[in-house]
Amino acid sequence: MFIMSRLPLATMSCMGRRVKVMSLASKEFRLLVRTDHSDRTTNRTLAVTIPSPSLLNTSDISKRLLLVPPPLNTPPVRPLTLAASLVSSLPSPLQPYLRLARLDKPIGSWLLFWPCGWSLCLATPAGQLPDLKLLAVFGVGAFVMRGAGCTINDMWDRDIDKAVERTRDRPITSGQVTLFDALVFLGGQLGLGLLILLELNWYSVLLGAASMGLVVTYPVMKRFTYYPQFVLGLAFNWGALLGWSALSGTCNWSVVLPLYAAGISWTMIYDTIYAHQDKYDDVIIGMKSTAIKFGDQTPVCLSCFATTMVLCLLYCGWTTGQTFPFYLSLLGVGGHLAHQIVTLDINNRDDCASKFVSNRWVGLGVFLGILAGTLVKEKEQEQVTEKVNLQDVVEGVARAVNMEEPS
């Protein structure tokens, strides 16, 4: 039997950090070589095939392995986004805290905001624009609370992130921010979030506060269940309930619950795609996700969630009397989701990342559809109910009786 430890030390170092040997009794075996670059988003896994006759010659194996060393050229670096460039331009002491709140990656704030916007637009009276002040409140709230959620997540996962390539440079894991400093920073974020929440009515304040349990416990779920994405969906789409209550003072559950279910289904789509970026590291360190659970059946599962999302949105539109712009937008959203799923390469990190980010257009499409559909609604006729005066009724009946009596 061939012993890997007998390979020359130089050969072992060029093979990377992770080596998997398949059955040596077969006609060939594969060594999975993982390159190690500072830009870990571009890492790739290479397969080197060696015929079994050469197994008897250790020096020959060494020569063959050395034919495919890790590339020496620096991998391409992605250009900085506008948000990342802005964070990088700010004073250095602030940058770790801004990155801790993911201000350099605002996609999460958009994904958190859109269910709030959907609900608010659905609750808006026919022929009117949504309340711009409430839209601004929800926008700032999504920005702040998404940052708080990221801080909580990084505090929980500070040891796990060290073992995952994509996350080991995060501020807490890399030592740029201490755990105590992160806790103080989190206190400031939650305090600001509370001030924003207090701008709403008391029904919405209590409803919003009820979501904090989900926000705090979500990062722990990956240790116990293969469905942490579902818990994230419960937390991330709470705005589907808040948007309606903020405008109406209560929830129309026949509308907001299907909207909430649509948002959860959407989260199951985009966060499963996101989780495929880390699935290899997650398996090694024992973390769970829908990406691992679904495996090669991911496209089938995502198709089911996409169908559920569209059907729930259709029901919400029918219940609220939406018009043709809304249904046209759902046609576009459904097509976008179908394209995501059909073209998704679950083994390509770059493709998973781009598909995940593209979901901001899904949220925008639904929002614009509800907005336009509400604007073109026919204004409902106001039913004017006159107060009934009992005395007037009695006098009217008496007059009618007197008129019928013979003179």
Side-chain angles (χ1 to χ4, degrees):
M1 183 174 178
F2 177 69
I3 308 292
M4 292 299 297
S5 61
R6 292 180 183 174
L7 284 176
L9 188 58
T11 301
M12 295 293 290
S13 63
C14 84
M15 289 167 57
R17 291 175 293 100
R18 192 171 302 149
V19 179
K20 181 180 179 181
V21 182
M22 304 302 288
S23 174
L24 300 182
S26 61
K27 293 183 179 179
E28 62 179 26
F29 72 92
R30 292 180 179 272
L31 299 177
L32 298 183
V33 183
R34 194 164 190 169
T35 59
D36 188 11
H37 300 307
S38 58
D39 182 8
R40 296 183 175 89
T41 62
T42 59
N43 285 357
R44 292 293 182 271
T45 302
L46 306 176
V48 185
T49 302
I50 303 177
S52 58
S54 63
L55 291 176
L56 301 175
N57 190 338
T58 304
S59 61
D60 185 38
I61 292 176
S62 302
K63 292 176 182 178
R64 288 175 182 266
L65 289 172
L66 289 172
L67 290 176
V68 284
L72 299 177
N73 296 330
T74 303
V77 179
R78 293 179 183 176
L80 291 177
T81 62
L82 178 62
S85 300
L86 178 62
V87 170
S88 298
S89 67
L90 295 174
S92 298
L94 292 178
Q95 291 184 24
Y97 294 95
L98 300 180
R99 292 193 174 96
L100 179 61
R102 307 287 196 278
L103 266 65
D104 56 329
K105 299 175 181 177
I107 176 61
S109 298
W110 285 113
L111 298 177
L112 184 61
F113 167 75
W114 288 130
C116 306
W118 301 348
S119 184
L120 185 60
C121 284
L122 282 175
T124 300
Q128 297 183 22
L129 287 170
D131 189 307
L132 297 182
K133 178 185 175 182
L134 285 177
L135 275 180
V137 168
F138 280 120
V140 176
F143 184 75
V144 172
M145 290 309 298
R146 187 263 180 154
C150 290
T151 302
I152 294 171
N153 181 82
D154 287 7
M155 292 173 68
W156 275 112
D157 291 351
R158 60 189 181 278
D159 296 324
I160 294 173
D161 285 345
K162 296 176 183 177
V164 179
E165 284 184 304
R166 188 179 56 84
T167 60
R168 62 180 56 158
D169 290 331
R170 286 179 174 174
I172 296 178
T173 304
S174 61
Q176 300 174 62
V177 176
T178 66
L179 190 60
F180 177 77
D181 290 340
L183 185 61
V184 173
F185 182 57
L186 175 62
Q189 290 174 298
L190 294 179
L192 183 57
L194 177 61
L195 290 177
I196 296 170
L197 185 62
L198 290 175
E199 292 294 314
L200 307 179
N201 54 60
W202 281 107
Y203 184 96
S204 300
V205 169
L206 297 176
L207 185 63
S211 68
M212 280 307 300
L214 293 170
V215 175
V216 173
T217 57
Y218 156 68
V220 186
M221 292 297 107
K222 69 186 76 171
R223 296 161 172 83
F224 305 107
T225 176
Y226 282 103
Y227 298 96
Q229 281 70 28
F230 176 73
V231 182
L232 178 67
L234 294 175
F236 245 56
N237 295 281
W238 203 259
L241 312 179
L242 275 178
W244 192 288
S245 70
L247 189 64
S248 305
T250 186
C251 283
N252 183 343
W253 298 106
S254 65
V255 178
V256 298
L257 286 181
L259 186 66
Y260 191 41
I264 293 171
S265 300
W266 182 39
T267 301
M268 292 294 290
I269 296 171
Y270 64 68
D271 206 54
T272 297
I273 294 174
Y274 184 83
H276 271 287
Q277 297 178 93
D278 302 328
K279 59 187 175 184
Y280 299 113
D281 293 315
D282 286 343
V283 168
I284 290 172
I285 62 180
M287 295 296 105
K288 299 176 175 65
S289 71
T290 50
I292 298 171
K293 183 67 174 178
F294 297 158
D296 292 338
Q297 297 301 311
T298 291
V300 177
C301 298
L302 298 189
S303 298
C304 294
F305 289 121
T307 302
T308 303
M309 175 186 177
V310 173
L311 289 177
C312 287
L313 289 174
L314 281 171
Y315 179 79
C316 291
W318 174 76
T319 304
T320 56
Q322 281 296 323
T323 51
F324 72 92
F326 171 74
Y327 298 105
L328 285 178
S329 74
L330 287 192
L331 189 62
V333 165
H336 181 91
L337 290 173
H339 179 265
Q340 273 194 58
I341 295 168
V342 169
T343 61
L344 176 64
D345 182 356
I346 60 175
N347 297 312
N348 185 325
R349 285 185 174 182
D350 289 338
D351 187 58
C352 290
S354 64
K355 292 290 196 306
F356 167 74
V357 172
S358 73
N359 276 276
R360 61 187 170 189
W361 305 117
V362 173
L364 176 62
V366 176
F367 176 79
L368 292 178
I370 300 174
L371 178 65
T374 301
L375 283 175
V376 301
K377 272 185 190 177
E378 292 184 3
K379 293 186 177 181
E380 298 178 357
Q381 296 292 331
E382 294 185 1
Q383 298 179 353
V384 180
T385 306
E386 297 182 355
K387 293 183 179 180
V388 178
N389 190 313
L390 184 60
Q391 182 65 33
D392 292 340
V393 173
V394 172
E395 291 179 356
V397 171
R399 283 194 300 268
V401 170
N402 292 331
M403 290 176 62
E404 293 178 358
E405 290 180 356
S407 54

